[in-house]
Amino acid sequence: MSTANQGGTPESQAIDRETAGTHSAGGLLTKRTLIVVAAGAALIVLLLMVWQVVQVVLLVFASLLLALFLRTLANFICRHTPLSVAWSLTLVVLTLLAIFVLILLLYGPDIADGFYQLFRQLPSAPERIRNALAQYEWGPALMDTLSRATSTLTDPKQLSQIAGIFSTAFGALGSLAVVIVLGLYFAADPKVYINGTMRLFPQERRAHVGEALERVGHALRWWLLGRIIAMLVVGVLTGIGLAVLGVPFAFILGLVAAILDFVPNIGPLIAVVPAAMVGLSQGGATALYVLILYFVVQSLESYLISPFIQQRVVSLPPALLLIAQLMLGVGFGILGLLLASPLAVVVMVLVQMLYMRDVLGEQVDLP
């Protein structure tokens, strides 16, 4: 056999090289595809883990707010009484617990019955609203649109998701328990956690980190005070105003307005919906008076209470606050919506202190 036969013809050698190159390219493409798929899967897993971690971080932040509230009250008692901080904190916790139990014993049944009657009243409100709007030409068309929306919400497929509501409720109770327990731990000995956080940074940066934590705590303390005062004012004025107008469930609607006022911008808009429905069921004039009442109360809160508090904390641009609420609300639900405002306060304080003052060298008014 000749050497040419052993090596094959030039044409066959070229075909072999082409086939080998094709197999090599195919193998490389397969490896790249597997790498891309693996990287995508790893990224998805990482995003899911980050999402879960952020949920935990939000719960920890809520616990810090509770601890700040309890510790502020304890420090106030300690400064004005012979009690130590530990005994002052114990007195605060026991007093708040006693107030909560006393309210449940005295007014718990009435509050529960009021919410029950309100929830029974709201489904029948559209029929009374239909009768009130029937005298207008545009009334029937509007009610037909509302009826289609209502039928969509009461579809059996929608009602089949009620189990998810119960699971969410149980999850909320569990989260509340975690927040309370962590808040008590943080309030009992905050220096341990503050010093532990400072030790995560280099020695030369610890004093600066301590100053930042102190500024953030001061701003959050005044933000909490402002929200509590605003909630009390909004709840009392709304309840009294609704009672004067003769609107049913005035106390319950005032309580709802006070609770929802914890969330600026969005909370008052949600609170006005049940009040307007109840008022509209009593007549168009009553509904108009209810809207005017809510507008006046929110104006007082916005132009009297909030400016006073903003002298003590960083001023949040309304658009920036609303964007933070929408982003955290969409991403993390009710918990994100509730904590969007204090988180925005923290971010603004840190940006002003660590970037605008320290990096850019600008003069800023820190809280």
Side-chain angles (χ1 to χ4, degrees):
M1 183 178 293
S2 64
T3 306
N5 291 333
Q6 293 177 355
T9 61
E11 291 80 359
S12 63
Q13 293 177 358
I15 293 174
D16 293 337
R17 286 195 298 270
E18 183 178 356
T19 302
T22 303
H23 286 301
S24 177
L28 182 60
L29 180 61
T30 302
K31 290 181 180 179
R32 289 180 178 177
T33 303
L34 291 176
I35 292 175
V36 170
V37 171
L43 179 61
I44 293 175
V45 172
L46 179 62
L47 291 176
L48 292 175
M49 293 177 61
V50 169
W51 188 84
Q52 294 294 334
V53 170
V54 172
Q55 293 279 355
V56 176
V57 171
L58 290 177
L59 288 178
V60 173
F61 183 72
S63 305
L64 291 175
L65 288 178
L66 176 61
L68 185 63
F69 171 70
L70 297 176
R71 192 73 183 189
T72 301
L73 295 178
N75 290 336
F76 178 81
I77 295 176
C78 180
R79 288 194 300 267
H80 295 85
T81 63
L83 296 176
S84 63
V85 177
W87 281 107
S88 299
L89 180 62
T90 303
L91 178 62
V92 168
V93 174
L94 293 178
T95 302
L96 293 176
L97 183 61
I99 292 175
F100 179 74
V101 173
L102 185 63
I103 291 176
L104 286 182
L105 292 177
L106 296 179
Y107 303 103
D110 294 334
I111 294 175
D113 183 68
F115 276 106
Y116 175 73
Q117 296 297 332
L118 176 62
F119 290 147
R120 289 189 58 187
Q121 180 90 359
L122 289 180
S124 60
E127 184 62 29
R128 292 191 295 271
I129 295 173
R130 182 188 298 273
N131 296 332
L133 296 178
Q135 55 183 331
Y136 303 103
E137 295 182 357
W138 47 267
L142 176 61
M143 290 308 304
D144 289 339
T145 303
L146 295 177
S147 298
R148 287 194 294 268
T150 304
S151 62
T152 301
L153 293 176
T154 56
D155 186 81
K157 294 181 180 179
Q158 300 291 334
L159 296 178
S160 64
Q161 300 178 357
I162 292 179
I165 298 176
F166 286 105
S167 63
T168 304
F170 284 117
L173 292 177
S175 300
L176 180 61
V178 171
V179 169
I180 292 175
V181 172
L182 287 179
L184 292 176
Y185 279 124
F186 291 149
D189 195 2
K191 290 185 178 180
V192 172
Y193 307 100
I194 294 175
N195 294 335
T197 302
M198 293 173 59
R199 289 177 181 176
L200 297 176
F201 296 87
Q203 185 72 33
E204 63 275 8
R205 302 293 297 175
R206 291 178 183 176
H208 197 57
V209 172
E211 182 188 3
L213 293 177
E214 182 181 356
R215 294 289 186 178
V216 169
H218 179 77
L220 287 178
R221 189 178 297 111
W222 278 97
W223 180 88
L224 273 175
L225 177 62
R227 290 267 49 91
I228 293 173
I229 295 176
M231 291 168 64
L232 291 175
V233 171
V234 168
V236 171
L237 293 181
T238 302
I240 294 175
L242 292 175
V244 171
L245 293 175
V247 178
F249 314 110
F251 174 77
I252 299 299
L253 292 173
L255 181 61
V256 171
I259 295 174
L260 291 178
D261 196 71
F262 183 81
V263 183
N265 300 327
I266 298 177
L269 294 178
I270 300 175
V272 76
V273 174
M277 291 185 64
V278 174
L280 192 57
S281 66
Q282 302 296 312
T286 303
L288 178 61
Y289 294 148
V290 168
L291 294 177
I292 294 175
L293 171 65
Y294 273 73
F295 175 77
V296 171
V297 171
Q298 288 302 319
S299 297
L300 291 175
E301 189 268 336
S302 300
Y303 293 104
L304 291 181
I305 300 176
S306 295
F308 171 75
I309 300 301
Q310 286 178 355
Q311 295 176 359
R312 301 282 184 168
V313 301
V314 61
S315 180
L316 291 175
L320 182 61
L321 177 59
L322 184 58
I323 291 173
Q325 290 175 332
L326 293 176
M327 292 179 60
L328 291 177
V330 171
F332 305 102
I334 296 178
L335 184 61
L337 184 62
L338 290 174
L339 300 178
S341 298
L343 282 173
V345 171
V346 173
V347 172
M348 287 295 295
V349 171
L350 294 179
V351 167
Q352 287 189 354
M353 181 177 179
L354 302 181
Y355 179 71
M356 296 179 65
R357 189 192 70 175
D358 296 346
V359 177
L360 300 181
E362 296 185 2
Q363 294 292 330
V364 294
D365 295 330
L366 294 173

